[in-house]
Amino acid sequence: MTPAAGGRGAARPTADAPVRAVALPAVGAVLCLGLVAVALAGLLTGVGRPSQIADPGAVTRWGLPVARFVHHLAMATAVAAVILAVVAVPARLGPRSRQSRAERAEKARVERAGTSASSASGEHPLYARTLQIAGISSVVWTVAAVVVLVLSYSALAGQPLSADENFSAGFLGYVQSIATGQAWMAVVIIAAVFATLVFAVRSPAGLFFVAVLGLGGIVPMALVGHSGSGDDHSAAVNSLGLHLLGVVVWVGGLVVLALLSPEIRRQAAALTAREQGGPEIVGTLLRRYSVLAGLAIATVAFSGVINADLRIATLDQLLTTPYGIMIALKVGATLGLGVVGWMNRSWIIPRLAGSHEGAGAPSPSALPAGDPARTRAVTGLLWQLILVEIAVMSAVIGVSAILGRTSPPVSEDLPPDATPARILTGYDLPPEPTVGLWFSQWRFDWLWVAIIVFLAAWYLYSMVRLRRRGDGWPVMRAVSFLVGLAVLLWVTSGGPAVYGMVLFSGHMIQHMTLTMVAPMFLVLGSPVTLAMRALAPRTDGTRGAREWILWLVHSRFSRVVTHPVVAAANFAGSLVLFYYTPLFGYALEYHVGHELMNVHFLLTGYIFALVMVGHDPLPKRPAHAIRLVMLLATMAFHAFIAVALSGSESLIQASWFGNIGHDWGFSAIEDQQRGGELMWGLGEIPTMLLAVIAAVQWSRADRREMVREDREADRTGDAELHEYNEMFARMAERDAPR
């Protein structure tokens, strides 16, 4: 980190107390405010009152929301600590760029020998402390998840906690057969594995996968409760999942920063004593967290509004029902927290950070050099605001723990006259499809909406940033990328998503557009190249977005999946594995299976298009001739599968498509045959376009090579050609008869 602004002879803050810290008891005290919120919300909603039919007892009535509160807080802290260790906290002392090959070899030798990484390989104290917080909170997360699992069965069965056989047998059936029990058992397993790996893994690359595992704990939580049984199941699950993701990053990150406060103070004091800009370590860490927090608060607000709209039908229900009142309190708290976060971002952090990361970035520091009192005042206000945020967040999590036990105003039960389509898909049967309805029918998949909005905003921001810096970026690449995002939005939320659940032909349109059309436009936008040019590199031992992208591009995994044979086999073979195995049924029946299907086909199509026509860096790109051969082979394989489907008399997933009950259009088997024909057309046309693009790129590459050779010949006087002719002359002279 660079020193704070000021001349060489300017006085620097003294090492005794350059920054303030938060007392850990104060953090514990503000977190306990959540328990007060649990009690007040429980009294408001009547959760703590005995049940008239089957009362599980006071321990379960009050213990379950308290356990859920502890679970949510511990999970957020554990996962956020690992995320900060991966992207914001340096793993080693000293800049990573200055670490020599000998030092890296010594570190590997020490780790193989089993020596402590902290003492022998120079592990940064902030990094070690962050992982310690992650380890302790992950253990609390695991224990709390077990308690929630047991108490949720007690509440569902209406039985007080007991050690008798009936309770144990019922609990076993709950875990094995009931969706809520299965989901919480999955959370227990994820938390236990996460806690084990946090104590075992020390490298940032390994912790990256640990963080992904921890975030995976959000999935089973989003699938149960009101989202699992309410109307518009997909929107409810996706919005709740996004909501939990934002809460984990936002709330957990703030708690981790507060718990890191004493160690941050010690590191700042040490840096100030060495005249290396002590207060900057606080500003740099907070600036990196504030980027994550800004995205998190937008996600929380966006997803919260969507989820509340599904649960509350009228404004009157928002103001008169206990569920609506708690939603209103959460909205007010979120707005207040957003104001506090904006104060931190716009006023405090610039006064603590000595400089922005990246070459050529201007310094925002307004901290007077040699004024330790000003530094103490700014950091003191900073931690006070953080404590206020944690207190409000803790109260909101306490309210959420009660909210999950409160019935919303909108009924969660299917209507008694539900149609077969409503029973199978959760939605009423759409009207008979026409050309116009394919583009006017929308059912927003909020997970993909959030991803698409983020990618579009990032791409435009990066392009503008390059242009302000004086660098250009082709407009047609931006147009191509945005068109690809628009196609992705349509295929995941428009007509293909609506009709893909009730018609095989609709599903085939969704599938082929997702894997053939959208990736082609996205790849031609060259997003990785744009990221490499727009993102600033880090030199303080941490890995930002740029470093992680480079790590992924040059990883062994990337070398395998982008190998031409693997990419083509994955792209073409996925069709057979998906449609002729139970995977198709899982994608239709289960929401997680449907989203994984979307991710898989988008990624396989993207990797295949990247290998064929992309400009982004790859470990190894095949020759142009090989690309054309692979594209022609893919076209032939698609045609073979399409002909098999269009001529088949056996209905795929008959229990689903045969029972939808639509009284318009083709029969189920005729619609499947039509889907095979659509597969042929939607597969061959984009593949032919890829072949044309690959041929044009081959021609341009040959032209560039010819221009290069001509310039080389002009520079050397055709030395290579003369040498080539002289070689033939020597061969002729040697072979001539004597």
Side-chain angles (χ1 to χ4, degrees):
M1 301 175 190
T2 58
R8 177 175 297 183
R12 300 194 58 83
T14 58
D16 55 350
V19 297
R20 288 183 175 179
V22 176
L24 297 184
V27 180
V30 296
L31 290 177
C32 289
L33 291 177
L35 298 176
V36 177
V38 169
L40 294 177
L43 294 174
L44 172 66
T45 59
V47 168
R49 289 196 296 265
S51 175
Q52 298 293 331
I53 302 176
D55 183 31
V59 173
T60 298
R61 291 197 308 269
W62 288 105
L64 181 55
V66 170
R68 289 171 66 95
F69 165 75
V70 175
H71 171 274
H72 297 344
L73 198 58
M75 175 186 178
T77 304
V79 178
V82 176
I83 292 175
L84 289 178
V86 169
V87 302
V89 179
R92 289 180 52 85
L93 292 168
R96 183 158 59 98
S97 59
R98 296 180 183 176
Q99 187 180 354
S100 65
R101 181 178 298 180
E103 290 173 334
R104 292 194 295 268
E106 177 64 17
K107 175 185 175 182
R109 185 192 65 77
V110 169
E111 290 179 349
R112 286 194 298 269
T115 309
S116 170
S118 178
S119 60
S121 60
E123 190 175 79
H124 200 288
L126 273 177
Y127 187 79
R129 177 61 176 165
T130 305
L131 293 185
Q132 184 183 24
I133 294 171
I136 296 173
S137 54
S138 63
V139 173
V140 177
W141 175 22
T142 305
V143 175
V146 173
V147 175
V148 171
L149 175 63
V150 176
L151 292 180
S152 62
Y153 166 71
S154 174
L156 181 66
Q159 299 181 18
L161 294 177
S162 174
D164 59 25
E165 286 189 19
N166 291 333
F167 188 90
S168 300
F171 175 75
L172 184 61
Y174 172 70
V175 172
Q176 293 177 341
S177 306
I178 306 299
T180 304
Q182 294 171 342
W184 278 107
M185 190 63 199
V187 174
V188 170
I189 294 173
I190 291 174
V193 175
F194 180 89
T196 303
L197 293 177
V198 165
F199 286 105
V201 178
R202 308 298 295 187
S203 67
L207 288 174
F208 172 83
F209 296 101
V210 176
V212 173
L213 173 65
L215 292 175
I218 294 174
V219 176
M221 294 172 58
L223 292 172
V224 296
H226 300 314
S227 297
S229 57
D231 198 15
D232 202 349
H233 172 76
S234 298
V237 169
N238 287 346
S239 60
L240 181 57
L242 290 170
H243 197 74
L244 293 174
L245 174 63
V247 168
V248 165
V249 175
W250 187 16
V251 179
L254 269 182
V255 174
V256 173
L257 287 178
L259 295 177
L260 281 175
S261 171
E263 185 60 42
I264 293 175
R265 180 183 183 277
R266 284 191 289 269
Q267 294 301 311
L271 288 173
T272 303
R274 296 196 298 268
E275 295 190 357
Q276 294 182 13
E280 296 170 20
I281 190 173
V282 185
T284 301
L285 185 58
L286 288 172
R287 188 174 66 252
R288 291 171 182 171
Y289 164 74
S290 69
V291 175
L292 298 175
L295 296 173
I297 189 173
T299 303
V300 168
F302 168 74
S303 57
V305 170
I306 295 169
N307 211 277
D309 181 66
L310 297 173
R311 304 284 167 254
I312 298 175
T314 64
L315 183 62
D316 180 67
Q317 294 175 347
L318 181 66
L319 302 176
T320 58
T321 62
Y323 192 93
I325 292 173
M326 288 190 290
I327 290 292
L329 291 175
K330 288 184 63 176
V331 171
T334 302
L335 293 176
L337 290 171
V339 173
V340 175
W342 175 81
M343 291 172 60
N344 282 333
R345 175 73 178 176
S346 62
W347 186 75
I348 293 180
I349 294 176
R351 286 161 174 77
L352 290 175
S355 63
H356 283 303
E357 294 173 356
S363 172
S365 178
L367 178 65
D371 190 356
R374 179 65 179 274
T375 305
R376 287 173 54 82
V378 173
T379 54
L381 178 59
L382 165 71
W383 295 121
Q384 289 173 14
L385 290 176
I386 286 180
L387 284 178
V388 170
E389 284 188 86
I390 294 175
V392 177
M393 289 176 175
S394 177
V396 171
I397 292 178
V399 171
S400 300
I402 295 293
L403 201 63
R405 301 273 298 149
T406 306
S407 298
V410 176
S411 176
E412 300 174 341
D413 300 325
L414 283 173
D417 58 344
T419 61
R422 180 70 178 271
I423 296 173
L424 284 175
T425 67
Y427 300 94
D428 291 326
L429 188 69
E432 183 176 0
T434 62
V435 175
L437 287 178
W438 279 102
F439 296 95
S440 62
Q441 288 284 319
W442 288 85
R443 184 185 300 147
F444 288 103
D445 187 323
W446 296 110
L447 175 63
W448 287 101
V449 170
I451 294 173
I452 291 166
V453 170
F454 170 77
L455 290 177
W458 166 80
Y459 196 96
L460 293 175
Y461 170 78
S462 300
M463 187 174 67
V464 171
R465 186 176 182 181
L466 282 183
R467 291 185 176 274
R468 287 179 177 175
R469 199 173 64 190
D471 298 333
W473 184 257
V475 175
M476 291 308 300
R477 289 190 181 184
V479 172
S480 176
F481 190 80
L482 295 178
V483 169
L485 291 180
V487 173
L488 182 59
L489 177 64
W490 177 69
V491 79
T492 55
S493 299
V498 174
Y499 289 103
M501 296 298 293
V502 297
L503 295 174
F504 184 89
S505 59
H507 178 86
M508 187 57 67
I509 292 175
Q510 182 184 28
H511 176 180
M512 299 309 297
T513 307
L514 191 65
T515 196
M516 295 293 298
V517 181
M520 178 175 61
F521 288 103
L522 295 175
V523 164
L524 293 177
S526 304
V528 175
T529 302
L530 177 62
M532 291 298 98
R533 294 181 59 184
L535 295 172
R538 293 185 181 180
T539 59
D540 63 346
T542 61
R543 291 186 179 184
R546 190 177 192 276
E547 287 72 23
W548 281 112
I549 292 174
L550 285 173
W551 171 80
L552 179 62
V553 169
H554 297 291
S555 65
R556 184 176 301 176
F557 173 77
S558 178
R559 289 196 296 271
V560 172
V561 298
T562 59
H563 190 280
V565 176
V566 176
N570 193 16
F571 177 72
S574 296
L575 294 171
V576 178
L577 291 177
F578 183 74
Y579 287 107
Y580 293 99
T581 65
L583 293 176
F584 190 15
Y586 295 148
L588 291 171
E589 185 175 356
Y590 299 105
H591 180 72
V592 174
H594 178 73
E595 297 296 356
L596 289 177
M597 175 201 73
N598 289 339
V599 171
H600 173 76
F601 285 121
L602 179 64
L603 289 181
T604 54
Y606 186 90
I607 292 173
F608 183 75
L610 178 62
V611 173
M612 295 297 107
V613 299
H615 297 286
D616 285 334
L618 283 177
K620 186 178 181 180
R621 196 178 297 276
H624 292 281
I626 296 178
R627 300 185 207 178
L628 288 176
V629 171
M630 292 174 60
L631 286 168
L632 294 175
T634 302
M635 291 176 62
F637 187 83
H638 271 181
F640 175 78
I641 299 298
V643 169
L645 281 175
S646 59
S648 175
E649 296 294 336
S650 176
L651 184 60
I652 298 176
Q653 294 301 319
S655 60
W656 186 276
F657 293 109
N659 293 323
I660 286 294
H662 60 79
D663 55 357
W664 39 255
F666 299 99
S667 65
I669 189 64
E670 291 173 340
D671 182 72
Q672 178 178 297
Q673 294 170 351
R674 186 186 183 194
E677 298 170 358
L678 289 171
M679 177 184 177
W680 196 347
L682 292 175
E684 302 306 290
I685 295 175
T687 306
M688 182 62 69
L689 289 176
L690 288 177
V692 172
I693 295 173
V696 172
Q697 290 179 348
W698 190 0
S699 174
R700 290 179 177 177
D702 284 346
R703 190 178 301 113
R704 288 194 297 268
E705 181 65 18
M706 291 174 59
V707 171
R708 188 194 65 80
E709 291 178 354
D710 290 342
R711 290 177 178 175
E712 179 70 14
D714 293 340
R715 186 179 63 85
T716 61
D718 281 338
E720 184 177 353
L721 178 61
H722 292 317
E723 183 179 355
Y724 189 69
N725 291 332
E726 290 175 0
M727 179 189 68
F728 277 106
R730 290 193 299 269
M731 293 173 60
E733 183 179 354
R734 185 180 65 247
D735 295 337
R738 296 185 181 278

